[in-house]
Amino acid sequence: MSEPGALRLGRGRVVAFTVVAVLVIAGAGTYVLREARRSDAGLAAAAASESAAPKLDAATVLRQPHLVFRNTALGPSNGKIAVVPLSSPGGPRATVEVPCERVYAVTGGGFCLAAHRGVVTTYQGTLLGPDLRPVRDTRIVGGPSRARLSADAKRAASTVFVAGHSYLDVGFSTVTEIVDTTTGKGFGNLETYRIVKDGRDYHSQDVNFWGVTFASDDVFYATLGTRGTTYLVRGSVSGKQVTVLRDNVECPSLSPDGKRIAFKKATGVSAARKWRFTVLDLASGVETPLPETRSVDDQIDWMDDTHVLYGVPRGESGRTDIWMSPLAGGAPALLVPDADSPSVVRP
């Protein structure tokens, strides 16, 4: 039998615990409410800031040399296509009401990869006209990763993340496809193309492609990942074939003069692995590291034959800025704040 004093002490502990629990729950509720109000206030301030910012007319910007990108600034236009004149890349921007996860543009049009998040997330590729307005939808089967167009806007390439494959060597799975922008006709998943390595056909269950860059309507470069190694490949759309050129190349980007490829080069292993932007001279085979020494995971675009552009995440904020780096003889510099997925267009 319990002693009366012990019983009273036990009841007291229960009462005390209950009071503390109620106070903790109430405090948590107050904190959540306060943070929600703070978040709402932040969004309202961002919307007000965007409304107060100077406005540009998109049509006017598109008639001059300009930069197309995904707007990452907080506010109603977050995640939508934006454009700025190359003469004032850090100044006011014009917004096109098309949401994208990745966007790429050339003189003749653009290509947007979008994710529509809800109870069930769906994905969509959209071909854009010269005014960056939707022209035709294309089918994509996973989360947007990379988008590219040929210089004449006749071919579009998408890379998306997918589930259901088991490519343990590279740690992720992708599907990369090329389509005709005029008809919407697809040229197949690159995994179905013939692979030539060291002069012989190459076969493996784990082949994985990503990061296309076009040399013409028919010729392209891309990354092949297989058996723990990445390779630069040169491909033919009409021939449905790729040829391995060299290893340790990811996300290639062909220069405007067609003589060099900028890419990510892996350094280190496992958890210590980092990226180093590098430029390959196609004629000589010489590789030159860029002045950018941060580890950046992006597919470069070229500003001109001597400068490149790329997106750099701003800490853990979810926002990104576009930086520009010379090939040599200088330091990287912030070009466009609150922006990602850049492409340069010179009408």
Side-chain angles (χ1 to χ4, degrees):
M1 179 180 291
S2 301
E3 294 294 329
L7 184 60
R8 285 194 298 272
L9 181 60
R11 287 174 178 168
R13 286 173 176 168
V14 170
V15 171
F17 174 79
T18 302
V19 170
V20 170
V22 169
L23 291 174
V24 168
I25 292 171
T30 301
Y31 172 80
V32 170
L33 181 59
R34 184 171 62 249
E35 290 302 304
R37 287 174 176 169
R38 183 179 298 171
S39 176
D40 289 344
L43 291 175
S49 177
E50 181 176 321
S51 297
K55 300 295 183 183
L56 291 183
D57 174 61
T60 300
V61 176
L62 293 174
R63 286 194 293 268
Q64 58 188 294
H66 59 276
L67 185 69
V68 178
F69 57 91
R70 178 178 180 267
N71 179 42
T72 67
L74 296 178
S77 297
N78 179 269
K80 295 177 181 178
I81 296 174
V83 294
V84 290
L86 284 185
S87 59
S88 180
R93 60 193 60 178
T95 302
V96 181
E97 294 296 312
V98 178
C100 298
E101 300 284 323
R102 297 293 294 187
V103 61
Y104 193 80
V106 295
T107 302
F111 190 32
C112 164
L113 304 182
H116 304 295
R117 293 180 172 83
V119 177
V120 176
T121 300
T122 59
Y123 305 103
Q124 179 178 297
T126 303
L127 298 168
L128 310 171
D131 60 355
L132 300 181
R133 301 292 178 180
V135 173
R136 176 182 290 106
D137 290 339
T138 66
R139 175 179 171 270
I140 60 173
V141 295
S145 174
R146 307 291 183 216
R148 275 298 190 269
L149 282 168
S150 59
D152 60 6
K154 291 183 178 179
R155 298 285 186 269
S158 62
T159 296
V160 300
F161 290 115
V162 295
H165 297 178
S166 181
Y167 299 149
L168 300 181
D169 287 334
V170 295
F172 58 84
S173 304
T174 61
V175 167
T176 296
E177 298 178 298
I178 296 174
V179 300
D180 183 303
T181 61
T182 303
T183 65
K185 172 189 174 184
F187 297 100
N189 185 338
L190 294 193
E191 292 175 22
T192 66
Y193 283 32
R194 178 190 178 197
I195 302 171
V196 178
K197 184 175 182 291
D198 300 323
R200 294 175 294 184
D201 285 1
Y202 177 83
H203 301 281
S204 180
Q205 291 295 318
D206 74 339
V207 296
N208 207 19
F209 289 91
W210 63 93
V212 168
T213 184
F214 287 98
S216 68
D217 288 351
D218 187 60
V219 178
F220 63 90
Y221 296 89
T223 305
L224 163 65
T226 179
R227 299 181 183 178
T229 302
T230 60
Y231 300 93
L232 174 68
V233 299
R234 187 175 190 267
S236 166
V237 175
S238 61
K240 292 199 171 183
Q241 175 178 308
V242 299
T243 301
V244 173
L245 301 182
R246 64 196 298 127
D247 65 0
N248 200 9
V249 173
E250 295 193 45
C251 295
S253 180
L254 189 64
S255 63
D257 61 12
K259 295 180 179 179
R260 288 157 295 175
I261 284 179
F263 63 95
K264 298 185 312 181
K265 186 182 182 74
T267 62
V269 294
S270 192
R273 190 182 210 197
K274 294 184 178 180
W275 306 113
R276 182 65 191 271
F277 283 146
T278 304
V279 171
L280 167 68
D281 184 285
L282 290 170
S284 67
V286 173
E287 293 184 1
T288 304
L290 293 184
E292 176 60 80
T293 58
R294 291 172 293 184
S295 180
V296 180
D297 181 12
D298 198 15
Q299 185 172 13
I300 280 175
D301 192 46
W302 291 76
M303 171 67 106
D304 50 40
D305 285 324
T306 59
H307 296 81
V308 296
L309 307 177
Y310 45 89
V312 180
R314 193 190 307 167
E316 302 297 323
S317 67
R319 296 162 77 176
T320 306
D321 303 315
I322 294 172
W323 284 68
M324 180 172 70
S325 174
L327 299 193
L334 175 64
L335 186 70
V336 187
D338 292 314
D340 192 14
S341 196
S343 50
V344 175
V345 182
R346 290 183 169 88

